[in-house]
Every structure is written in C-alpha cells, then in structure tokens.
Amino acid sequence: VLACRGGEEFLNAAGWRKVALDYEGYYRCEDTVPIATLRCAEDVLRKNLQLCREKTERHERAKTKEKDDAARQKEEARRAIEEDKTRRREAEERKRAAKAAAS
C-alpha cells in the first residue's frame, strides 16, 4: 500500500500509525480503530487490487497484440517480397521466351 500514490495517507485514515522499533519504521494499527473502519479499508483495498489486476491484464493483452501485429506485418512483407520475386522471374522468363521465338 505504501508504494501506491496516497498509500501513507490511506493507512493513516484507516487507523494505522507509524512507529519506530529498533530504528526501523513500521505501521501498527491502533487499538481504538473501529472495526467498521478496518472493514471499509479492506473493501477499498480489495476493489483497488481488482482494478490493478484488470489494468495489468489489459496492458499485457495490448503488448501481446502489438507483438502479434508486428509479426503479422513482418510476415506479410516477407510474403509480398517473395511474390514480387516470383512475378519478376516469370516476367523475365516470358521476355526470354518471346526473344527466343523472335529469333
């Protein structure tokens, strides 16, 4: 939660306070926090976690789609080059055949 924007403010609003133990900062839930506040905080975190997962999945799908599109375009370009080579080869063969027939 702390790594998220507004995470520290969220913890403070939910009743968590920063304490120092052995020169390390920790968050501890106060005993006087109503259980309803904690349940509300849990619900908010659950919803945000689901939203983050959905965003991550959409991002991954978009990256996969971009890779697939790039691969498809590369394959289409390769196929077009091969078709062009074949077409040029056939045209050259027709030209040679016409030249040989004219001689």
Side-chain angles (χ1 to χ4, degrees):
V1 174
L2 284 175
C4 299
R5 191 173 358 144
E8 189 168 355
E9 292 83 7
F10 174 81
L11 286 175
N12 286 328
W16 294 80
R17 299 295 175 249
K18 194 169 190 174
V19 295
L21 295 173
D22 297 328
Y23 303 104
E24 293 281 332
Y26 295 95
Y27 277 86
R28 192 175 86 196
C29 186
E30 293 181 349
D31 296 337
T32 60
V33 177
I35 194 74
T37 302
L38 293 175
R39 285 198 176 120
C40 181
E42 179 185 27
D43 186 50
V44 168
L45 288 174
R46 186 178 299 116
K47 288 177 182 176
N48 281 330
L49 179 62
Q50 181 63 30
L51 181 64
C52 287
R53 285 181 178 150
E54 290 170 3
K55 284 182 179 180
T56 302
E57 289 170 2
R58 277 195 306 266
H59 179 70
E60 290 299 320
R61 280 194 305 267
K63 279 181 23 181
T64 302
K65 184 180 181 303
E66 288 174 5
K67 285 181 182 178
D68 291 346
D69 289 346
R72 184 178 39 78
Q73 288 175 350
K74 195 181 283 186
E75 179 61 27
E76 287 174 359
R78 189 193 60 76
R79 194 176 317 122
I81 290 170
E82 289 299 321
E83 289 173 1
D84 186 55
K85 285 180 182 178
T86 303
R87 191 171 18 89
R88 287 176 186 236
R89 200 176 305 123
E90 290 171 355
E92 187 65 32
E93 288 173 6
R94 282 192 304 267
K95 197 186 277 186
R96 282 190 201 135
K99 190 174 183 181
S103 310

